[in-house]
Amino acid sequence: MMRRCLLLLLLLLPAVARADDPLKLRSLMRDARTALKSASGQTDAEQGLLAVADSSLVADGQRAEIYYLCARLELSRNDAENLRLYLGQEYDTLAFFQTILRMHQYLLRSDSAALKNPHAKKSRSLLLRHRMNLLAGGKYLLSKEEYSEAFPYLDMYLRVPEERLMAKDDYLREDTLLPKVSFWATMAAYNSDNPRGVLRHIDLAIEGATEAQRASLWECKTNCYLALGDSSAWLTTLLYGVRNYPRHDYFYLHLVDYYNGKGFFERGLLMSDSLLHVVGERSIYWFGKSQMYLGMADYDGCIEAADNVIALDTTFTDAYYDKGIAFLNKAVLFSRTMDTDIRSATGKQDWVRLRGLYQFAREPLERVRELAPDDKQKWARPLYTIYLNLNLGDEFAEMERILGDEQ
């Protein structure tokens, strides 16, 4: 009884398309050809084919045929949009371009599905005929700042010349637009947080870029390696950038941070001295030196380097900070070894010296406060220590209040 009920239930279930059903597959292909002839029902026919296309039970030759038919269905829909434009009817620009992109995608899938593609000649002809429409779609979306949507069009334009279908079309690989399109594709990928997309085309973009653009493109490349966690490539691009674009401070500053974090202070000093020699006096290079000396606890070297920064740029906040912290650290270290007996001659001298060090630290750190009043985390804590040791009651109370508010 149970078996009979099960059989009845199976008979009542709707028929499901199976990839291993040759009659069903032929029916789907027949429906697609009918849709092409009638110029209607293309979407349903395409979805029916795609539902079985990737089944492991479909032969390679059949899969190639399925994707070719899908490409033709997309072209049929594109023709319909073209006709609306010609007749002055309401026209969907985005739909027009989307059909072009999908047609390209299906033609390439068809070609890769089987070793021998029976539609290779026709596929190649379609790709060549609609190549500029593909580019137009990318530019259209770029103009609307829809970067993630624009990238696939530009990426496909660049990809097609390298495909097997175009092996004999050497002139496509010599297309003078390739560097420019690579630049557009790179910018589209970068602005849509697609680091792999950036790295796919950025080298060709750099080749065709102006000198000013190249530095920014190398910066993009470096950021993408960082986003992907490729520390080796990230460091390599930083080193290349600082050698080739020394005035593009991004590379230098990131290397300074890297060397500082790793404790590679001598490398940082060597790099800074080399740039000072080759490029000339720049405040940023002296700042790098002050950072290295501060990391090495060479406070006199830090102060000297910071003074050189300030001589070149009186508004360089971090240089004042480095100088102030260097003097503050000198004061703290000296307080641990000084003669604290105020009654002795040495003790009196040492207390005067200690107070002097705190005074020397006070001036640059108060300047930091002037230049960056909102960055309380930077200057409040060191000024608190300085005012405490200089017995400046009102100033100390103010820092105590600020620190309390920040907690």
Side-chain angles (χ1 to χ4, degrees):
M1 184 66 177
M2 185 180 295
R3 184 177 179 184
R4 184 179 302 170
C5 290
L6 181 59
L7 288 171
L8 286 170
L9 180 61
L10 289 172
L11 289 171
L12 291 171
L13 288 173
V16 179
R18 292 175 56 194
D20 59 340
D21 183 347
L23 292 177
K24 186 62 180 179
L25 187 54
R26 281 200 294 270
S27 175
L28 290 170
M29 289 184 175
R30 185 170 59 250
D31 290 345
R33 294 187 180 99
T34 300
L36 287 172
K37 289 179 182 178
S38 64
S40 63
Q42 299 99 321
T43 300
D44 289 342
E46 183 179 321
Q47 289 176 349
L49 290 172
L50 292 175
V52 300
D54 292 329
S55 170
S56 60
L57 299 172
V58 171
D60 289 346
Q62 292 173 321
R63 186 173 293 108
E65 183 70 20
I66 286 171
Y67 283 126
Y68 179 73
L69 283 171
C70 287
R72 294 299 302 271
L73 289 165
E74 289 293 342
L75 182 59
S76 177
R77 294 168 67 187
N78 181 265
D79 290 341
E81 292 297 333
N82 251 331
L83 182 59
R84 291 189 187 95
L85 176 63
Y86 178 75
L87 296 175
Q89 298 174 354
E90 188 175 348
Y91 170 70
D92 190 335
T93 306
L94 183 57
F96 171 84
F97 289 128
Q98 286 173 333
T99 57
I100 291 295
L101 177 61
R102 287 194 291 265
M103 184 198 75
H104 278 72
Q105 292 169 338
Y106 291 141
L107 288 175
L108 296 184
R109 287 188 196 178
S110 175
D111 188 60
S112 63
L115 290 176
K116 188 173 182 180
N117 180 2
H119 300 294
K121 187 175 181 180
K122 291 179 181 178
S123 295
R124 174 182 169 278
S125 177
L126 286 173
L127 292 174
L128 289 173
R129 189 194 316 166
H130 293 280
R131 182 166 171 75
M132 296 313 294
N133 282 335
L134 193 67
L135 180 56
K139 293 172 68 175
Y140 169 76
L141 289 162
L142 279 180
S143 70
K144 293 182 171 297
E145 298 184 356
E146 295 178 4
Y147 300 113
S148 61
E149 290 79 9
F151 177 77
Y153 292 85
L154 303 168
D155 179 61
M156 183 64 74
Y157 183 91
L158 296 163
R159 173 185 167 188
V160 167
E162 304 300 325
E163 293 294 322
R164 182 179 68 167
L165 273 170
M166 303 301 182
K168 297 180 180 178
D169 298 282
D170 291 336
Y171 70 94
L172 288 181
R173 288 178 285 280
E174 297 170 2
D175 180 358
T176 57
L177 286 176
L178 292 179
K180 183 179 291 186
V181 178
S182 295
F183 180 82
W184 294 336
T186 298
M187 291 298 98
Y190 192 77
N191 284 305
S192 54
D193 297 322
N194 179 6
R196 295 189 188 281
V198 171
L199 295 174
R200 194 179 307 165
H201 300 299
I202 197 167
D203 289 336
L204 185 56
I206 290 170
E207 285 183 26
T210 64
E211 190 65 24
Q213 289 172 331
R214 287 178 184 176
S216 295
L217 285 168
W218 271 98
E219 180 179 332
C220 290
K221 189 174 184 178
T222 308
N223 280 330
C224 287
Y225 283 128
L226 182 62
L228 293 171
D230 190 339
S231 56
S232 177
W234 172 77
L235 183 57
T236 298
T237 52
L238 276 181
L239 291 167
Y240 180 93
V242 82
R243 285 195 300 268
N244 291 275
Y245 309 106
R247 291 183 177 277
H248 195 78
D249 294 335
Y250 167 91
F251 304 107
Y252 175 76
L253 287 173
H254 278 74
L255 276 172
V256 165
D257 285 344
Y258 173 76
Y259 289 147
N260 212 349
K262 292 289 185 180
F264 299 154
F265 304 120
E266 294 296 341
R267 292 189 198 179
L269 288 173
L270 185 63
M271 174 180 67
S272 302
D273 286 335
S274 175
L275 289 167
L276 283 166
H277 176 72
V278 173
V279 180
E281 291 285 303
R282 294 191 71 220
S283 58
I284 197 75
Y285 302 150
W286 281 108
F287 170 68
K289 292 190 69 168
S290 78
Q291 288 276 285
M292 295 303 107
Y293 282 128
L294 191 61
M296 297 167 68
D298 183 345
Y299 300 125
D300 290 333
C302 176
I303 292 163
E304 182 182 355
D307 280 338
N308 277 288
V309 178
I310 295 165
L312 294 166
D313 182 356
T314 57
T315 63
F316 204 124
T317 306
D318 285 333
Y320 289 104
Y321 179 80
D322 283 359
K323 181 177 179 179
I325 293 300
F327 271 119
L328 182 57
N329 287 348
K330 282 171 67 76
V332 171
L333 287 175
F334 181 67
S335 68
R336 295 171 182 170
T337 59
M338 62 180 279
D339 183 352
T340 57
D341 185 358
I342 193 68
R343 294 169 298 179
S344 69
T346 304
K348 289 178 182 178
Q349 291 176 350
D350 284 356
W351 278 109
V352 170
R353 182 183 173 189
L354 179 63
R355 185 176 179 83
L357 288 171
Y358 280 118
Q359 288 285 12
F360 283 132
R362 176 185 178 182
E363 181 182 349
L365 285 165
E366 287 182 338
R367 180 69 171 141
V368 171
R369 183 182 184 182
E370 291 175 17
L371 292 169
D374 295 331
D375 196 358
K376 298 181 179 65
Q377 291 292 332
K378 197 176 190 72
W379 46 261
R381 179 66 60 183
L383 283 176
Y384 172 93
T385 302
I386 291 167
Y387 295 151
L388 173 65
N389 283 276
L390 290 176
N391 294 317
L392 300 174
D394 292 342
E395 291 85 348
F396 172 77
E398 183 191 13
M399 290 305 109
E400 194 170 38
R401 177 183 56 77
I402 290 172
L403 289 169
D405 292 342
E406 289 295 297
Q407 292 178 353

